[in-house]
Each structure stands twice: as C-alpha cells, then as structure tokens.
Amino acid sequence: MKRKWFGVVLLGLGAFLLVVGVLGVAWAPGVVKKTPLDVNQTTHLDGTVKKLNTETGELEENPVKVENITQVDSDASSDSTAVWVETTCVVIDIDDAPNCVDGDDPRLVSASTDAFATDRVTALAVPDFAGLPASDGPPHEGLVNKFPFDAEKKTYPYWDGTAGYAVDAAYDRTETLAGIECYVYTYTVQDVPIEIAEGIDGTYDNVVEIWVEPKTGAIQQQTQDQQRYLEDGTQVLDLKVGFTDEQIQQFADDADTNMQMLKVVTVWMPVIGFVAGALCIIAGALLLVSARRNRPSGGAPAEQQKAASAV
C-alpha cells in the first residue's frame, strides 16, 4: 500500500516538475528577457575637455565629469514599451565642482533633458508611443540606452542625440572588461551639421566605442572622442570621456548578478524540470507496477493473505 501511494506522489511531483520545465522554455524567457519598469540608474563618466575661451580665442584643457540619470516612467509605460526620462550634465571638474551646476556657472559644458520610449524586448526606440510627452526634438530611432538581450555580432542602428539620428554601430571585437565578456561596437560621425549654441551653427565629429554584455544587452562602458567646430573651422570643443573605473566595476557586478539570474531561469529551471520530472515519473510508475505485482490473484494484498494463512 505504501508503495502505491509513494508512486502516486512521485507521479504527481514528476508532472509538476515537467510543467516547470515547459514554463522555463516557453514562458520564463519572455518574462525575464524584458526591460523592467523600475529602472533608476545613475552613470558617471570622466575624462578631459578642451573648451574655447572666447576672451583669449584659445582652447583650454580641464578635467571633466559627466552625470547621466536615466529613469523609467512606469506610469507612462506599458507592458511592451518603456518610457524613459534622461538628464545629462557635463561639468568642468575644478574647484570641487558638483555633478551639475546652473547655466550661469562657467564650469558648465552642457546640460540636457531627454525623453524617449523603447521596446522592452528589442530595445529599439518606439518614436510614436502614446505615453511620450510632447517634444520639439527629432523622434528617436534605433537603440538608445541598451542593446537587446542576446545581442549579436552585427551592426545595429544606434541613436546619436547630438547628430539627431541613428547611426550604424558595427560589431568590432570581443573583449573582457572587469571580468565580463563584452561585444564592442563602434561608430564614427564626421562633419555633421549641428547648432553649437543658440543661433550659432557648426559641425560635429565623434568616435564612439560601446562595450556590451551580450546576454543582457547592458552597456558596460562607452567612450567618446568628440569635437565641435564653428562654420569657419574654429574648434570650440574637444571632449574625451568614458565611464569611471568605479562605474565600470559596478556595472560588471550588476551584469554578473543578472546573468546568474537569467541562467537559473532559462537554463537550470528547464533542466531540473525535465530531468527530475522524468526521473520522478519513471520511479513512480515502477513503484505502482511493483505494488500491483505484489497483489495476489484474488485481489487481497500479499500481507493479508499471509496473515489469513497463519490463523
């Protein structure tokens, strides 16, 4: 009798584990490989800037720091689309400068606020999403602030906010950064017409490299080598920045945690479900067959028949 009930329990457990395995293959990837709606991320960069001194007509070099705050507006987002609000402040890092200063402070290089929407799976911009606030800027296109899950060694359209359009970010190489294997994508723009300041036209050059953890699509490092010129060719800005060492390590730690979570859900969950489920079903079936064989032909259990014969 115990064998029978134990066999039934194993069959039930095996069926449950098989369902877990099926969910791990068919349902879980669509849930975990999706941008969450609670992202609130601050990114710090540093480097150098050469900025035109209008009084001397010379480029003056100083250390510079950049703070970028990116947050999902969960109220404006939907199940398939995330709405982002992003603020960026570039400050000359002298005299104990804070991460951002007001427009009257001569240490300010630039400050901007941006809003955009992206598909939570592909990471591509959704320029006509209803939850976006009204904007005078060009609609976003391509990838904006991350790459898709399971990024490939290919070329992706990538948004350049200064140029105002998406450019081709091509896979260049694979490198390990702070212990994380990354795909490195690069792009170059040159002589792009921009507005240097209000009412002042000029051009923009930039060489960008982006280190991406491919499983999650998270950017681990991004460097820029950017120049801006007036229409007469006078250089007004030379900016070279990348993520700080502390930022790189933090993103590496985050990437390691996120990859482990993905592995548990998308690899171990199906493996344990299918393998353990199958073993439980086989064991349960064997116990039921064994219990049935131990019954005498008259239908009474073998133990009861032995007891009756002893009387």
Side-chain angles (χ1 to χ4, degrees):
M1 195 69 176
K2 290 182 179 179
R3 288 186 181 182
K4 176 181 177 181
W5 286 110
F6 193 40
V8 171
V9 169
L10 284 176
L11 285 176
L13 178 60
F16 170 77
L17 289 172
L18 288 178
V19 171
V20 170
V22 171
L23 290 175
V25 172
W27 173 78
V31 174
V32 297
K33 292 184 178 182
K34 197 172 186 178
T35 302
L37 295 178
D38 60 351
V39 178
N40 187 352
Q41 179 176 284
T42 300
T43 305
H44 292 104
L45 303 86
D46 61 8
T48 61
V49 62
K50 293 180 181 178
K51 188 179 178 183
L52 181 67
N53 185 322
T54 56
E55 295 181 358
T56 65
E58 300 292 332
L59 287 174
E60 295 181 351
E61 182 173 351
N62 284 292
V64 68
K65 60 182 177 180
V66 182
E67 181 180 70
N68 177 273
I69 301 173
T70 308
Q71 185 174 7
V72 172
D73 183 343
S74 57
D75 293 333
S77 302
S78 70
D79 183 62
S80 61
T81 305
V83 174
W84 303 83
V85 178
E86 181 180 79
T87 60
T88 304
C89 203
V90 185
V91 176
I92 294 175
D93 192 13
I94 58 175
D95 300 328
D96 197 26
N99 289 330
C100 198
V101 295
D102 61 39
D104 296 327
D105 194 312
R107 294 173 296 181
L108 181 67
V109 178
S110 66
S112 62
T113 301
D114 195 12
F116 55 92
T118 62
D119 186 284
R120 294 178 63 192
V121 176
T122 67
L124 291 169
V126 184
D128 55 353
F129 183 63
L132 275 173
S135 173
D136 295 331
H140 290 65
E141 56 188 14
L143 305 174
V144 184
N145 60 338
K146 75 178 295 291
F147 278 63
F149 291 92
D150 301 318
E152 300 178 41
K153 297 177 180 180
K154 67 177 190 179
T155 298
Y156 288 94
Y158 191 80
W159 176 252
D160 186 302
T162 304
Y165 54 80
V167 298
D168 288 339
Y171 168 81
D172 182 69
R173 62 192 185 276
T174 298
E175 280 188 3
T176 298
L177 182 67
I180 301 297
E181 184 177 278
C182 298
Y183 292 171
V184 183
Y185 301 85
T186 65
Y187 76 83
T188 301
V189 294
Q190 193 168 11
D191 296 329
V192 177
I194 64 167
E195 191 175 64
I196 298 292
E198 187 175 355
I200 302 176
D201 294 329
T203 60
Y204 157 71
D205 299 347
N206 205 353
V207 177
V208 178
E209 291 191 320
I210 310 161
W211 282 254
V212 177
E213 193 292 298
K215 292 183 178 64
T216 62
I219 295 174
Q220 304 297 299
Q221 162 71 303
Q222 180 167 316
T223 62
Q224 295 191 44
D225 185 356
Q226 177 186 148
Q227 291 80 41
R228 301 188 187 191
Y229 303 88
L230 298 176
E231 286 187 312
D232 64 4
T234 301
Q235 187 171 12
V236 297
L237 186 74
D238 183 352
L239 179 68
K240 294 177 173 60
V241 293
F243 292 178
T244 64
D245 292 340
E246 294 80 4
Q247 190 68 74
I248 291 171
Q249 187 59 57
Q250 179 188 326
F251 282 168
D253 294 341
D254 293 344
D256 186 63
T257 299
N258 292 333
M259 284 190 292
Q260 291 299 324
M261 291 176 62
L262 278 176
K263 189 173 184 180
V264 168
V265 174
T266 62
V267 176
W268 290 114
M269 185 173 164
V271 167
I272 292 174
F274 287 128
V275 174
L279 291 175
C280 285
I281 287 176
I282 291 171
L286 290 175
L287 283 173
L288 289 177
V289 170
S290 175
R292 183 170 298 177
R293 286 177 177 174
N294 284 338
R295 285 180 175 272
S297 58
E303 290 81 1
Q304 293 180 14
Q305 190 180 46
K306 290 180 180 177
S309 62
V311 175

